[in-house]
Each structure stands twice: as C-alpha cells, then as structure tokens.
Amino acid sequence: MNKIEEIKNIIKEKILVERLELDDITAEEIDDNEALFGDGLGLDSVEALDVISGVEEEFDIKMQGLEEEEIRQTFSSVETLSAYIHGKLAQIV
C-alpha cells in the first residue's frame, strides 16, 4: 500500500469513523471524492474542528495559518485532505 492510501485509510478509519463516532457508515463506504461537508458526509463546524484536531494528532502536523479558501479546498474531501497531509509530511522528511 502506498503512502497516500495509508493516509486516506487513517483519515477514514481513525478520524472520520472512530473520532467522530460515525456509527451509520464504515470507512470502506466513504468515497475518496465525497464531500465532507454539505451534501456529502454532512459534517458540521464542530466536527470540522474535531477533524483538524485528529489530523494534527494522527500525523503530527499543524493546520494553523491556512486562509479560509485554502481550508475549504483542503477539507473538501478525503482525497484533497490526504494530498495536503502527504505534501506536509514530505516537507518534514
């Protein structure tokens, strides 16, 4: 399994399903391109903060300093979030 797929799995399993306690969906049912907010998974602003905390804890990266539009783009789906995390982790190595 490549690094980006590992990141996606952690986002889906540990952050979305376990941390947010999404009991009505499994990690396997979450599409990589499904919207996290609005008509997709329907997460709200409180859950967004929990996702940010989860990303910071799981991947040991800080999410502060992002502009509003950058936040909207980064957190639009598992695909976009995993690409952002992958890029941040590549800068650390």
Side-chain angles (χ1 to χ4, degrees):
M1 181 181 308
N2 69 33
K3 188 69 174 172
I4 199 95
E5 290 301 318
E6 290 175 34
I7 293 169
K8 288 177 186 179
N9 287 335
I10 291 170
I11 292 169
K12 291 177 185 180
E13 291 175 23
K14 296 203 178 271
I15 297 173
L16 296 176
V17 174
E18 291 176 18
R19 187 179 185 96
L20 298 181
E21 299 176 354
L22 299 180
D23 298 329
D24 56 342
I25 192 168
T26 65
E28 293 79 25
E29 294 174 312
I30 299 172
D31 183 89
D32 291 347
N33 295 301
E34 183 175 9
L36 297 178
F37 302 92
D39 292 335
L41 288 179
L43 302 182
D44 60 28
S45 58
V46 173
E47 290 167 319
L49 295 174
D50 214 7
V51 170
I52 291 170
S53 295
V55 167
E56 290 181 341
E57 286 177 24
E58 291 292 334
F59 299 101
D60 197 30
I61 59 173
K62 296 293 177 203
M63 302 296 292
Q64 62 200 27
L66 295 176
E67 298 293 325
E68 185 176 342
E69 184 58 31
E70 194 175 11
I71 291 170
R72 215 174 268 124
Q73 291 174 356
T74 299
F75 286 88
S76 65
S77 68
V78 170
E79 185 72 39
T80 58
L81 184 54
S82 61
Y84 175 83
I85 293 167
H86 186 264
K88 286 297 227 181
L89 293 175
Q91 292 174 359
I92 295 170
V93 177

